[in-house]
Amino acid sequence: MQVMFGNWKYIFKNFWYIMPFAVLPALFLALSLDYRAISAFMHTLVSGDPRVRFDMMFRALSLIRIDSVLGGIYSGLGVVIVALFATFIFALAEKHMRIGKRTLGGVFTQFGNLIGPVFFVTLFYLLMYEVWAVVLSAVCFSISAVNSATLCYLLVLLAFVVISAVLLFLAATFYLWIPCMQITCFKPYHAFVYSYRLMAGVRGKLMAAFALSFAVFCAVVGASVFLPEYVLLPVAFLLFLFLFPGFCVRMETVYFKTDKLDREDLIRSYREL
């Protein structure tokens, strides 16, 4: 339970400490979605004929908008802003958990050390996600050649589950890479080897946590397309407002748990000094 929900306990306990750093990333992530493509895709799925075009499905899934120049700018800025504010969250949370103090002192020094690795890992995760979107769209487009609508629905669902499981496995495999580099100061390769070993006992729980968050996001956004169009952006913004810091904070809470490090934000032994 601590692996799956410990991050939410930390976020709600330190809400005003963490959430200000989630507003801009949530806004640009929400602006990076192609709502017209999502709406067209969802209406096609519920029409009784699940055959979809590759470009429609890819645009509905992708975080890189190709529908307009402005959409592309939103996506590009989104990557930069996500990396910048994720770095702040990592630095703040790690300092708080390590010494028990919620202050900005020393955070900017840590920011300078972290921004390079965080930006690289952000691009790496984005690449994994976009490859998932391409592969899933291609497979579902191939499935659309099946004559039976019922069989087509079943095969699309199976493809979504299997290909998404691969994405979640990869996401979990690299998940502790950043906090391991941050806390141990190992070089990237050695940090990955060590973080991979730490993941052995919690990978399944992490995948379940990712799957739950992803399912909630897809269900809420998918249902929202049947409401007035102006509802979609605020709904996506509110979802990202919690999912973005949740993803970042969980890296720290899981790392401290798996590496068996004391969390001073919980035990507060610094008060005895």
Side-chain angles (χ1 to χ4, degrees):
M1 295 295 289
Q2 188 175 352
V3 170
M4 294 187 68
F5 303 113
N7 59 323
W8 298 116
K9 182 178 179 181
Y10 180 88
I11 287 172
F12 288 120
K13 190 175 180 180
N14 302 278
F15 190 84
W16 299 112
Y17 180 64
I18 293 294
M19 294 307 286
F21 296 95
V23 175
L24 275 179
L27 176 61
F28 276 89
L29 285 169
L31 290 171
S32 297
L33 297 178
D34 188 339
Y35 296 103
R36 290 184 180 178
I38 294 172
S39 180
F41 174 65
M42 289 302 302
H43 281 86
T44 299
L45 280 184
V46 300
S47 67
D49 185 5
R51 294 168 177 81
V52 295
R53 302 196 317 267
F54 170 82
D55 61 322
M56 178 201 299
M57 186 169 181
F58 174 72
R59 285 172 52 196
L61 297 175
S62 178
L63 287 173
I64 300 176
R65 287 180 58 178
I66 57 175
D67 61 314
S68 66
V69 173
L70 184 59
I73 292 173
Y74 286 145
S75 297
L77 286 174
V79 174
V80 176
I81 288 172
V82 163
L84 287 174
F85 283 86
T87 305
F88 273 114
I89 291 176
F90 292 139
L92 286 164
E94 189 265 340
K95 179 186 176 183
H96 186 204
M97 293 177 192
R98 185 186 284 270
I99 66 173
K101 299 292 184 70
R102 293 189 307 184
T103 60
L104 292 177
V107 168
F108 287 95
T109 300
Q110 182 77 311
F111 178 90
N113 296 329
L114 272 177
I115 184 61
V118 172
F119 193 79
F120 171 78
V121 173
T122 299
L123 290 176
F124 182 71
Y125 268 81
L126 178 63
L127 177 62
M128 283 198 300
Y129 179 84
E130 294 300 318
V131 169
W132 168 82
V134 170
V135 173
L136 182 58
S137 300
V139 171
C140 290
F141 176 69
S142 301
I143 291 172
S144 65
V146 175
N147 291 327
S148 169
T150 302
L151 180 58
C152 190
Y153 273 119
L154 291 174
L155 290 175
V156 166
L157 178 61
L158 179 62
F160 179 80
V161 170
V162 172
I163 297 172
S164 296
V166 175
L167 174 67
L168 296 180
F169 177 82
L170 292 174
T173 298
F174 293 94
Y175 194 59
L176 297 183
W177 197 8
I178 288 177
C180 190
M181 284 189 281
Q182 174 187 10
I183 295 172
T184 65
C185 297
F186 288 168
K187 297 214 170 155
Y189 173 74
H190 296 101
F192 170 69
V193 172
Y194 185 53
S195 67
Y196 183 82
R197 292 174 180 170
L198 292 177
M199 286 299 306
V202 297
R203 186 179 290 109
K205 295 177 182 178
L206 265 179
M207 290 177 64
F210 294 159
L212 180 60
S213 298
F214 190 51
V216 169
F217 181 85
C218 291
V220 174
V221 172
S224 299
V225 303
F226 301 101
L227 299 174
E229 189 173 344
Y230 60 81
V231 174
L232 280 170
L233 181 60
V235 167
F237 169 74
L238 288 174
L239 288 169
F240 280 125
L241 188 62
F242 287 93
L243 292 178
F244 169 72
F247 188 84
C248 296
V249 170
R250 184 181 278 121
M251 286 189 185
E252 300 291 342
T253 58
V254 172
Y255 183 86
F256 272 74
K257 176 178 174 55
T258 55
D259 206 23
K260 297 179 174 57
L261 301 177
D262 290 333
R263 280 180 51 181
E264 288 292 333
D265 63 306
L266 298 178
I267 63 176
R268 299 182 180 181
S269 61
Y270 65 90
R271 290 183 175 180
E272 301 172 2
L273 298 177

